[in-house]
Amino acid sequence: MHFDHTYAQKLSDMVSQVRISPLLEPELALYNEQLAEDIELKNEFSQADTLFAALFTPDGCLNQQGVAQKYGGHQFGGWNPDLGDGRGVLLAEAVTEKQQSWDLHLKGAGKTPYSRFGDGRAVLRSTIREYLASEALHNLGIPTSRALCLISSKEIVYREQPETGAMLIRACQSHIRFGHFEYFYQSKQLDKLDKLFNYTLQQHYPSLLDHQNPHYSLLEQIVLSTADLIAKWQAFGFCHGVMNTDNMSIHGITFDFGPYAFLDTFDPDYICNHSDHNGRYAFDQQPGVALWNLNALAHAFTPYLSIEQIKQALTQYEPRLQSQYAELMGQKFGFKKVHNDDMRLVNQWLELVAQDKRDYTQSFRLLCDDNLNSRKLADHFIDRDKAQQWYQSYLTRLADESLPKNERLVTMKAANPKFILRNYLAQNAIDAAEKGSFEECKRLLNVLAKPFDEQPEFERYAQTPPDWGQSMEISCSS
């Protein structure tokens, strides 16, 4: 395996070198063998002693060039220049035989120059939530960073209450955020901004260098990939919770997991972050916030593009989002090709599910039932008449489809998961881990690895939350 660190080497004046602070009695609790295989790590860190030597010894291959990155960000709409890797270390880049590069980033590494008043640690609760969520999204086909491994410990860290310290190594194409470009533009360090753009194009988007205007093509690519991501969040009912610009990736991937949630009862106004008092990041606000964030990023392109060019790139967001969302929803309803008036039928369904406070995932999965009929669908709702009226309209629309029913249902089940990462399931796994057992984490990961399969032996994981799990409050604190 070849390790590189081009970010630390080519942008050395934009990072701070950091040594990792080991945890007390660390243990390798979870290891993602599939991810290790995907990025050609070949399980070389699947043994605790090998991994800890690489991380915690002065000459370890993952502790030699570790750096903390500097960036800023708009947090809940307000500009904050005092951000950076406050508890993270960019360890290295794993380079595959095909010369594909994957950032390896350690979360919970200890104090860095950007920790401010924090301890630089992560807690077991948040690392488990990130590990579970990134795998859940990946298996749903939603672009995301992924967790390579989770390291537990006996170390106590303090948040609202004493908690167990932990570390997580995650992998993705890069850890470059909207906030990187924003910071060097807002602070008028245009020489560093130029270096960052050149590095990004050369390292991550080399195909754009041959374009007539590489900077325009880069902004366009970020706009389109962000639209694709948000369309998938909305279709699968995922709430990120903290869409600050420092949590937005230039690669259009889900990034920096905090108080996220998959929808249980469908409420378009659902707020998963109890610190979000004004609902800025509510579920139905996510598409608009993403465009707001793209506008904030676009300011950093002004030294290279005209206002007209920037507007031209940004105006591609909404039509791309709408077309991708329509296509995804069409798949969920079994439409081979989306017709002009199909979204009216889709919106009527969503209004019905919201009105009667039905479960989002279960309601869509019901449409894939081999034995579904008008009465069975009506039984799922309170407003039976409205449900039956909608179902008749749906049957009329399905009559236009050429696929036989059994084939259509197969394709629908591949678009409507039976299993999602509900917050109460994550909490059950966290509770067990805090008592010393990671078996529930592993079991849940196995279920989430096949979200579209029936898995009758794990039927309980598809159930709606118990009373205690329906009003869980998740905060940014981790």
Side-chain angles (χ1 to χ4, degrees), residues 150-168:
L150 188 151
I151 301 166
S152 64
S153 76
K154 301 296 183 184
E155 187 152 332
I156 301 300
V157 296
Y158 296 90
R159 298 296 181 261
E160 286 89 352
Q161 59 187 10
E163 297 195 50
T164 304
M167 289 179 173
L168 178 104

Side-chain angles (χ1 to χ4, degrees), residues 344-360:
R344 180 175 58 84
L345 191 65
V346 169
N347 289 329
Q348 288 173 349
W349 169 259
L350 293 175
E351 289 168 6
L352 180 61
V353 176
Q355 168 195 298
D356 287 0
K357 296 179 171 57
R358 300 294 90 183
D359 186 86
Y360 186 83

